[in-house]
């Protein structure tokens, strides 16, 4: 079972809009939600599921709104939360920003969307591209005399319309890997993981069948190719278009794609990653009147690759003033409201090492440092490179008209939550 009703509340808990799907929970029960939330928050026992008697509130907060689903049955909680997050995604596609103002300005469309997203407590059409075919921003001008429901909704393939035509058939594949890293003050790696996504931009006519081949370790072992240059993917999640039974059987990623942009899959690798950009820093204080910070950055990736738009955020004492900088490359600026120096390097080739020196004045009265120094943060993007070594081995495109199509592949590695603690 799923939700009985869905409410969108403002930040004070006042209902802006609601939809009763099953009628088995009184709509007035929502008035217990906010007092319950406040009480649990004060007790330090806040949870994503709150109960009042026989009624359960499953809620999430987005911007200045609460989205709340009510149920009195033993509902599938993960399905309800999935639906609430999907609802936010759809509203954001429609209104760009989802906040109280956008709900108030678009009541008619919000009602129509809530009607289409769920029926009698069960999720229905939740793909915004399909919804936009028949619920438009001018949807308060109701059409009469003909059905507005496009064939897509009744198709076996609900995420793709019939009759799509392109003069030039192409597929663009982006393999994007984010590196999350935490290094402690003595240089030991505490956390290291890669979070990857494969995004597609599809311009193909008709109803094509696509098959994507990766250097997936399980597939290589199944076909007797050993472990050479293969990658062990964890926590793989697919778009709804992928045939999961086919993947489970023989690791083939087979699908009829949506038109345009979409995320085909995501994955995670908890392998130990050598820090791509290594940072060392030294802080010296002189007679409580000035402080000198020296930061060394080294590119520990292959020399053929180049990191672009590198930003190194170095924390400085909150009472520092009169900044002076010297950099061997790039530029440095002081951001006093964040108590950091940002050292920007447009292009950072692998194997290179750069230095930045910063001098600050300090007030003559010494201020005790109560807590330890925040870590140094690093942002970067390295094109044509993946840390995991994942590769698109092939992309087969099969369509009954037999056209030829070009797949283009691009690899990007970027920083995720990338932090290095310094003593």
């Amino acid at each position: 079972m799923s939700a009985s009703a869905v409410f969108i509340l403002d930040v004070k808990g006042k209902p802006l809009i609601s939809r009763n799907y099953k009628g088995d929970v009184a709509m007035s029960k929502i008035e217990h939600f906010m007092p319950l939330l406040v009480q649990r928050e004060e007790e330090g026992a806040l949870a994503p599921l709150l109960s009042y008697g026989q009624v359960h509130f499953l809620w999430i907060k987005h911007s200045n709104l609460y989205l709340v689903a009510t149920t009195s049955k033993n509902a599938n909680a993960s399905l309800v939360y999935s639906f609430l997050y999907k609802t936010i995604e759809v509203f954001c596609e429609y209104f760009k920003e989802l906040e109280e103002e956008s709900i108030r300005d678009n009541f008619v469309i919000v009602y129509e969307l809530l009607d289409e997203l769920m029926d009698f407590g069960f999720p229905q059409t939740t793909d915004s591209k399909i919804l936009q075919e028949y619920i438009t921003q001018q949807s308060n001008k109701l059409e009469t005399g003909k059905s507005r429901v496009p064939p897509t909704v009744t198709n076996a393939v609900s995420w793709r319309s019939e009759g799509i035509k392109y003069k030039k058939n192409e597929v663009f594949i982006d393999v994007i890997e984010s590196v999350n890293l935490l290094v402690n003050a003595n240089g030991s790696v505490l956390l290291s993981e890669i979070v990857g996504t494969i995004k597609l931009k599809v311009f193909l006519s008709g109803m094509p069948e696509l098959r994507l081949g990766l250097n997936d370790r399980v597939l290589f072992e199944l076909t007797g190719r050993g472990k050479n240059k293969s990658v062990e993917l964890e926590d793989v999640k697919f778009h709804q278009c992928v045939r999961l039974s086919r993947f489970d059987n023989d690791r083939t990623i087979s699908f009829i794609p949506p038109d345009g942009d979409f995320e085909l899959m995501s994955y995670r690798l908890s392998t130990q990653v050598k820090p791509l950009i290594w940072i060392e820093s030294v802080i010296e204080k002189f007679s409580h009147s000035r402080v000198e910070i020296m930061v060394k950055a080294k590119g520990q990736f292959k020399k053929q690759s180049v990191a672009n738009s590198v930003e190194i955020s170095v924390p400085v004492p909150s009472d520092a003033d009169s900044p002076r900088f010297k950099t061997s490359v790039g530029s440095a600026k002081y951001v006093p409201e964040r108590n950091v120096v940002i050292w920007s390097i447009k292009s950072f080739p692998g194997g290179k090492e750069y230095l930045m020196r910063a001098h600050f004045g300090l007030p003559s009265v010494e201020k005790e440092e109560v807590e330890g120094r925040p870590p140094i943060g690093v942002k970067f993007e390295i094109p044509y490179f993946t840390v995991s070594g994942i590769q698109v081995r092939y992309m087969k495109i099969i369509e009954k008209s037999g056209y030829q199509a070009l797949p283009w592949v691009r690899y990007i590695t970027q920083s995720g939550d990338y932090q290095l603690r310094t003593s």
Side-chain angles (χ1 to χ4, degrees):
M1 299 297 283
S2 193
S4 173
V6 169
F7 297 81
I8 300 175
L9 314 177
D10 67 13
V11 77
K12 291 177 180 166
K14 185 181 165 215
L16 298 171
I17 203 162
S18 60
R19 180 70 175 83
N20 190 354
Y21 292 108
K22 292 170 72 177
D24 60 346
V25 175
M27 296 297 275
S28 59
K29 295 287 183 188
I30 194 66
E31 63 198 39
H32 298 294
F33 170 73
M34 208 62 195
L36 199 57
L37 185 85
V38 172
Q39 181 195 336
R40 289 293 176 85
E41 207 165 11
E42 285 169 356
E43 291 168 359
L46 198 56
L49 191 153
L50 302 172
S51 300
Y52 182 87
Q54 296 297 306
V55 181
H56 307 294
F57 302 106
L58 295 91
W59 65 279
I60 55 177
K61 190 176 184 196
H62 179 89
S63 183
N64 55 356
L65 300 171
Y66 290 97
L67 273 79
V68 186
T70 57
T71 179
S72 62
K73 302 283 192 299
N74 186 14
N76 180 337
S78 60
L79 179 66
V80 176
Y81 286 117
S82 240
F83 173 78
L84 292 176
Y85 281 110
K86 194 69 193 175
T87 301
I88 287 171
E89 197 180 302
V90 169
F91 287 164
C92 288
E93 290 277 337
Y94 267 82
F95 315 130
K96 301 293 175 263
E97 295 281 329
L98 176 58
E99 52 190 15
E100 186 179 332
E101 206 66 30
S102 51
I103 296 293
R104 289 188 185 281
D105 291 349
N106 296 281
F107 266 162
V108 175
I109 297 171
V110 172
Y111 267 123
E112 286 198 38
L113 287 170
L114 288 173
D115 265 352
E116 292 300 329
L117 286 162
M118 187 174 268
D119 186 29
F120 198 67
F122 292 95
Q124 299 297 307
T125 308
T126 57
D127 190 308
S128 62
K129 281 184 187 163
I130 303 306
L131 288 163
Q132 280 166 1
E133 288 186 26
Y134 62 105
I135 297 180
T136 66
Q137 303 288 51
Q138 289 81 40
S139 65
N140 50 355
K141 301 183 187 122
L142 292 174
E143 296 176 33
T144 54
K146 63 173 183 158
S147 166
R148 294 188 303 143
V149 178
T152 326
V153 174
T154 52
N155 268 358
V157 181
S158 64
W159 54 86
R160 186 178 179 88
S161 303
E162 298 271 2
I164 295 169
K165 284 192 175 69
Y166 285 101
K167 282 184 181 175
K168 192 177 183 184
N169 291 291
E170 294 178 302
V171 179
F172 296 88
I173 306 165
D174 277 348
V175 180
I176 303 160
E177 290 192 338
S178 296
V179 180
N180 295 332
L181 184 84
L182 179 61
V183 177
N184 71 7
N186 63 16
S188 303
V189 176
L190 299 178
L191 169 106
S192 159
E193 68 171 4
I194 301 161
V195 178
T197 53
I198 297 182
K199 294 183 178 179
L200 268 63
K201 197 175 275 194
V202 175
F203 304 111
L204 296 174
S205 307
M207 277 282 175
E209 167 88 29
L210 272 58
R211 283 181 203 149
L212 178 72
L214 303 170
N215 55 336
D216 169 19
R217 181 159 300 172
V218 178
L219 172 67
F220 274 35
E221 286 170 359
L222 280 172
T223 52
R225 262 175 279 195
K227 295 185 180 181
N228 269 2
K229 292 192 175 173
S230 65
V231 175
E232 192 168 347
L233 304 176
E234 301 166 34
D235 293 348
V236 181
K237 294 183 184 73
F238 288 112
H239 185 274
Q240 71 187 92
C241 67
V242 174
R243 293 189 177 89
L244 295 179
S245 56
R246 185 79 198 269
F247 182 75
D248 288 341
N249 284 339
D250 60 12
R251 304 293 280 193
T252 300
I253 301 168
S254 169
F255 56 100
I256 294 169
D259 189 44
D261 294 329
F262 73 103
E263 186 177 294
L264 176 70
M265 63 180 281
S266 64
Y267 58 89
R268 188 179 62 83
L269 290 104
S270 51
T271 48
Q272 193 79 12
V273 180
K274 184 182 180 185
L276 297 169
I277 293 179
W278 183 254
I279 305 289
E280 289 173 25
S281 82
V282 177
I283 285 198
E284 282 188 85
K285 283 190 177 180
F286 298 90
S287 63
H288 316 312
S289 61
R290 65 189 175 92
V291 66
E292 191 174 297
I293 303 170
M294 189 196 77
V295 178
K296 183 162 74 174
K298 186 179 182 182
Q300 297 193 141
F301 47 93
K302 56 186 183 183
K303 288 179 182 173
Q304 307 93 290
S305 295
V306 175
N308 296 329
S309 311
V310 177
E311 268 193 11
I312 300 164
S313 303
V314 185
V316 298
S318 55
D319 53 348
D321 59 27
S322 322
R324 283 186 297 124
F325 306 111
K326 192 176 181 182
T327 58
S328 60
V329 72
S331 62
K333 68 171 182 181
Y334 177 40
V335 185
E337 62 273 19
R338 286 172 50 201
N339 295 323
V340 292
V341 170
I342 295 180
W343 178 17
S344 302
I345 303 166
K346 271 187 185 170
S347 179
F348 195 140
K352 293 284 183 187
E353 198 171 287
Y354 298 122
L355 282 174
M356 187 266 292
R357 288 179 188 273
H359 296 259
F360 286 92
L362 289 173
S364 52
V365 178
E366 185 180 0
K367 188 170 157 187
E368 283 294 316
E369 298 257 337
V370 181
E371 66 271 350
R373 289 180 62 221
I376 291 176
V378 187
K379 288 184 186 171
F380 59 84
E381 191 170 275
I382 309 172
Y384 320 113
F385 174 78
T386 59
V387 203
S388 68
I390 196 169
Q391 283 176 354
V392 173
R393 290 171 46 244
Y394 63 82
M395 167 70 90
K396 286 180 185 162
I397 301 161
I398 305 142
E399 214 278 328
K400 62 184 177 188
S401 63
Y403 60 70
Q404 293 298 303
L406 290 167
W408 305 91
V409 186
R410 187 170 59 164
Y411 298 96
I412 302 164
T413 288
Q414 59 192 24
S415 52
D417 188 9
Y418 194 103
Q419 299 187 340
L420 297 98
R421 295 199 171 274
T422 53
S423 48

